Structures are given as C-alpha cells and as structure tokens.
Amino acid sequence: MKLARFETEGQGRPRLGVVVGEDNAQIVPLDALSEDWPTMLSIVAGGETALAAVRAHVAASGDRIALGDVTLLAPIERPAKFLAIGMNYRKHAEEARRLGVAVPENQFWFNKQTSCLAGPYDAIDPGVSEALDYEVELGVVIGKPAKRITEEQAPAHVFGYTVMNDVSARDWQKHSPTFTVGKSFDTHGPIGPWIVTADEIGDPHKLALRCLVNGEIRQDSDTSGLIHDIWAQIAYLSTAFTLESGDLIASGTPEGVGVARNPPVFLKAGDVVRCEVEKIGAIENKVL
C-alpha cells in the first residue's frame, strides 16, 4: 500500500489516505479510522493490526478523491529520530576521497533534526547557505521497535520505504566535526510522496534511484551499490539504542552530488530538484 498524508482545500487539517489506481490517480481517505489510528505514527506503531484495518477499509469504501485535488504532506509526522548515513555508496565514497574526506572505517552516522522534514512538493529554503546541494536517498521507516537485533532479524522491523532528498548546506556542514547543523536547515528534509509498505518493495537492495536538477540527470544509480546494506544499518544502530516506530533512516546517496563536480555546482534559486526511487515514486522541490 501507498500510505499518504494530505490536506484538502478549506479543511486545514492533515488527513490520512491510501493512494490507489495504476496511475496513482486517487486517494482513499482514512477519516473513518481516525478514532483508532489518528496519525501515521499510530498506524506505523499499530503494525499489521493497523494495516489490516486500513486494507479492509480501502476494500469496502467507495470514497475516492482525485490526487490532483489534494496537497500531499510529508507522509509521516515528526518521528523521534531522523538518522542519516554518510559515504555509503562505493562510488560516492570515492568522490568524497577525491575531495579530501577520509572514508570512514565504520558506519558513519549523523542526525538530521526532525524539524527539517518537508513535504514532497514543498519549496526548499536555502537560508543563509551559499552551497546548497542535493542527495537522493532511499528512506526507511522503522516499524516494530528494534533493540540489539541481528541483520537477519532486521527486515521484520521495517514498516516501509519512501523517497528522500538529504538536502545539504555544504558550507555549514564544515563548521563542526558533526554534520548535524549543515544537514538540518528547515525544509532540508523533503520526503514522500508516500510510504510504500515493505511487502510491496521486497528486496530494497535492487532499486534504481535518480536525482535530476531542472531535468538534467545528476545522480543515476541503484541500491545494490550500498556499502552497508539496510539490514546492516538497522543492526548497527540498534546495537547502541532502540529504534522506535516511525524513526526515519536515510540510507545513503550515490555519486554525482554537486560538491563533487568539477567545478562544484550548487543549487540556486528557481532550480527544481526531482528525486526518484523505483517502486516508490518521485518528489520534486523548487529552491526559493
């Protein structure tokens, strides 16, 4: 299923829905389930019980809204954690090394503040940054909490997947040893357009992903290039702390980022960044 959050004109409150149809043209509102499952976080935490209720409602309901008549929001409310891994594609690690960045021996994690989350078609505000960059990534939504689990156990702890743009203020990223500030400007975490449940994705390590700027392909790769795959990432993180329902993981970006081009090319006002992941869809965000 494709689970989304949306608003309709004049309603002024987020609603939940399931996107349906071969061309994703309609959305089935889940208003009737709001007493038991009022938020996307509650559906994620509800696991299979919640999904069974959603499936039954979609099958029985005749209520449909044209997707073009709604505004899609970030498909999940602020989770407890938004974690991202750096230099996790082989060719991206090579281009980072050319820039003088040491390739880490272990998994290299940093926080993106959850306040940076933005909708799939929201504008990106560069703020004070003069070196704004893009990074298409496969996003992972944690389902069942994970604490000290193995790689073999990890798939059972994934609720679903989404598209992410790990927007990066490269100049501010250099201000301190951690990347947190340069990776967390408001609006620098567009995700969406929805969450595709894990059962529809199957193996997440065979997905094509691309990033285009104004129609020009800047990144074009697939998730088979991950150094540390999704299961290894979840096992590693859960060794240190509990991953909770709804937590987001940005699994890494492939080669082709703007800072590694020769000369570097950063985003400017008016640029439109499109990030695509196979089996999920695409998000598209314009730079203010």
Side-chain angles (χ1 to χ4, degrees):
M1 279 189 296
K2 298 181 176 72
L3 291 158
R5 294 174 66 243
F6 69 98
E7 287 180 345
T8 46
E9 187 173 359
Q11 195 129 28
R13 64 174 177 83
R15 302 167 69 184
L16 304 180
V18 176
V19 177
V20 297
E22 291 185 4
D23 53 358
N24 301 320
Q26 296 177 315
I27 190 164
V28 180
L30 299 179
D31 301 346
L33 304 180
S34 62
E35 186 172 338
D36 290 329
W37 319 109
T39 64
M40 190 66 77
L41 282 169
S42 70
I43 290 178
V44 174
E48 190 50 44
T49 300
L51 289 176
V54 171
R55 290 190 189 98
H57 175 76
V58 172
S61 175
D63 190 9
R64 301 284 190 276
I65 303 173
L67 200 64
D69 291 339
V70 309
T71 299
L72 289 174
L73 309 173
I76 195 164
E77 306 85 1
R78 289 187 189 180
K81 294 183 283 294
F82 187 1
L83 299 152
I85 187 170
M87 292 173 278
N88 195 36
Y89 278 79
R90 297 177 186 89
K91 291 184 179 178
H92 177 52
E94 291 170 7
E95 66 183 5
R97 184 186 291 112
R98 290 196 299 272
L99 293 173
V101 179
V103 176
E105 182 177 342
N106 300 307
Q107 295 188 28
F108 180 80
W109 288 95
F110 55 90
N111 289 305
K112 284 180 77 76
Q113 300 302 304
T114 58
S115 52
C116 79
L117 283 174
Y121 306 108
D122 288 350
I124 298 170
D125 182 356
V128 297
S129 176
E130 297 180 351
L132 194 68
D133 210 345
Y134 50 81
E135 294 188 0
V136 62
E137 309 208 10
L138 171 65
V140 182
V141 181
I142 295 297
K144 187 171 61 175
K147 174 66 174 175
R148 293 177 185 163
I149 63 166
T150 65
E151 293 183 25
E152 290 72 25
Q153 294 168 324
H157 293 263
V158 174
F159 178 82
Y161 300 91
T162 191
V163 181
M164 290 181 174
N165 184 353
D166 177 16
V167 179
S168 305
R170 299 297 187 196
D171 39 3
W172 279 67
Q173 194 176 325
K174 298 175 182 175
H175 285 189
S176 61
T178 70
F179 290 173
T180 297
V181 175
K183 291 281 192 173
S184 297
F185 279 34
D186 290 349
T187 74
H188 287 196
I191 64 172
W194 34 69
I195 298 168
V196 179
T197 50
D199 60 300
E200 291 199 4
I201 296 297
D203 186 353
H205 306 106
K206 299 178 180 177
L207 302 176
L209 69 173
R210 300 197 308 175
C211 178
L212 301 89
V213 178
N214 303 326
E216 176 191 355
I217 298 174
R218 298 285 183 87
Q219 295 177 285
D220 189 0
S221 186
D222 67 79
T223 52
S224 67
L226 287 169
I227 296 173
H228 306 286
D229 69 20
I230 304 298
W231 316 142
Q233 294 179 34
I234 293 172
Y236 184 88
L237 291 169
S238 77
T239 301
F241 47 77
T242 302
L243 290 172
E244 302 166 288
S245 299
D247 282 353
L248 293 174
I249 293 175
S251 59
T253 196
E255 74 279 11
V257 295
V259 71
R261 297 171 72 90
N262 187 16
V265 178
F266 297 112
L267 297 170
K268 59 184 184 305
D271 282 350
V272 176
V273 185
R274 179 181 175 86
C275 295
E276 307 171 343
V277 179
E278 184 182 6
K279 291 189 176 182
I280 300 175
I283 61 176
E284 195 167 282
N285 306 90
K286 187 173 184 177
V287 180
L288 292 176

